[in-house]
Amino acid sequence: MPIDPDPERSLALTYAPADRRAALSALLALDAALADVVRTTTQPAIGQIRLAWWREQLAKLDHAPPPAMPVLIGLAETVLPRGVTGAALAKVVEGWEVLIEEETLDRETLRRFGAERGGQLFALAAAILGGDVDRATMLGQGWALADLLYHVDDSATAETAGVLARKALATPLRRVARPLGMLALSARLDLARVAPGGPKRAARLAWFGLAGR
């Protein structure tokens, strides 16, 4: 599994139990692969076809070996043995489809994106890592929306995404698996415009890593 180029995602992975770290890494690699599909899509119809391929391949993991693709192999080897199904993984694709299929990213559409991308991803991770699944699901929604607002050109859409992200990320981090809490905290710091790599941000992340709050 390739190393995550995002240093804070890599940091979050270090807080996962050693025997479950590869599974979390595989889930994050899936999210990154789907993000790449959306980022590199210029024609919605082509994007829909590409995402449909991912959805089909993920669902097939329940009854067939994966094709020779590192992301799918990683999921088959580390995530499915933990009780997560390919059908559940396929639902993560639905969040990304929202960005291609919907012409307008209104409040309800953004809610769907947050729930189906981040909420589903964090819920699956929580099923593997333990902790409060409901809180993890809500934090995952905020994490996805906080990420999105920096990748949209429309200021009104970004503002709405920010409002929804802040509300979801206000969920307490207590009783959430430490790696997921770390990812949610990183999203909070992004929204607060605390500079990446700066001492204030590093100290806050380090404290959470030690104390879990």
Side-chain angles (χ1 to χ4, degrees):
M1 186 67 60
I3 297 174
D4 194 316
D6 183 327
E8 291 183 1
R9 285 199 186 194
S10 297
L11 176 63
L13 284 170
T14 67
Y15 287 96
D19 63 338
R20 303 174 200 179
R21 193 171 300 146
L24 177 58
S25 180
L27 287 173
L28 293 175
L30 171 62
D31 183 73
L34 297 175
D36 187 63
V37 170
V38 174
R39 184 174 55 251
T40 59
T41 289
T42 57
Q43 299 180 42
I46 300 299
Q48 289 171 348
I49 291 171
R50 294 172 68 192
L51 288 176
W53 181 88
W54 274 99
R55 189 173 59 249
E56 180 182 352
Q57 295 304 317
L58 290 166
K60 281 183 178 179
L61 293 178
D62 287 333
H63 53 78
M69 188 170 189
V71 172
L72 293 169
I73 292 171
L75 292 167
E77 292 181 348
T78 67
V79 174
L80 266 65
R82 294 283 174 183
V84 173
T85 66
L89 290 168
K91 288 185 176 298
V92 178
V93 180
E94 296 176 8
W96 290 105
E97 286 176 327
V98 167
L99 300 184
I100 291 178
E101 294 175 353
E102 299 294 339
E103 294 183 3
T104 302
L105 296 180
D106 58 19
R107 192 179 189 89
E108 182 54 36
T109 301
L110 290 170
R111 284 184 190 277
R112 283 176 50 209
F113 168 76
E116 293 170 1
R117 176 204 174 186
Q120 177 73 358
L121 191 76
F122 271 46
L124 296 176
I128 294 170
L129 299 171
D132 189 312
V133 175
D134 289 339
R135 287 188 179 185
T137 300
M138 185 60 67
L139 290 168
Q141 293 177 30
W143 170 81
L145 288 162
D147 177 57
L148 177 67
L149 73 88
Y150 294 106
H151 296 90
V152 293
D153 296 326
D154 182 70
S155 59
T157 299
E159 182 178 355
T160 302
V163 169
L164 294 173
R166 288 181 178 87
K167 182 176 180 180
L169 288 168
T171 302
L173 302 179
R174 295 185 304 278
R175 300 198 301 277
V176 175
R178 193 71 54 92
L180 302 182
M182 184 73 73
L183 292 172
L185 177 58
S186 292
R188 283 184 183 178
L189 295 171
D190 286 341
L191 291 174
R193 299 189 181 279
V194 180
K200 181 178 180 181
R201 187 172 180 124
R204 182 66 186 91
L205 290 169
W207 173 249
F208 179 81
L210 289 171
R213 62 178 189 275

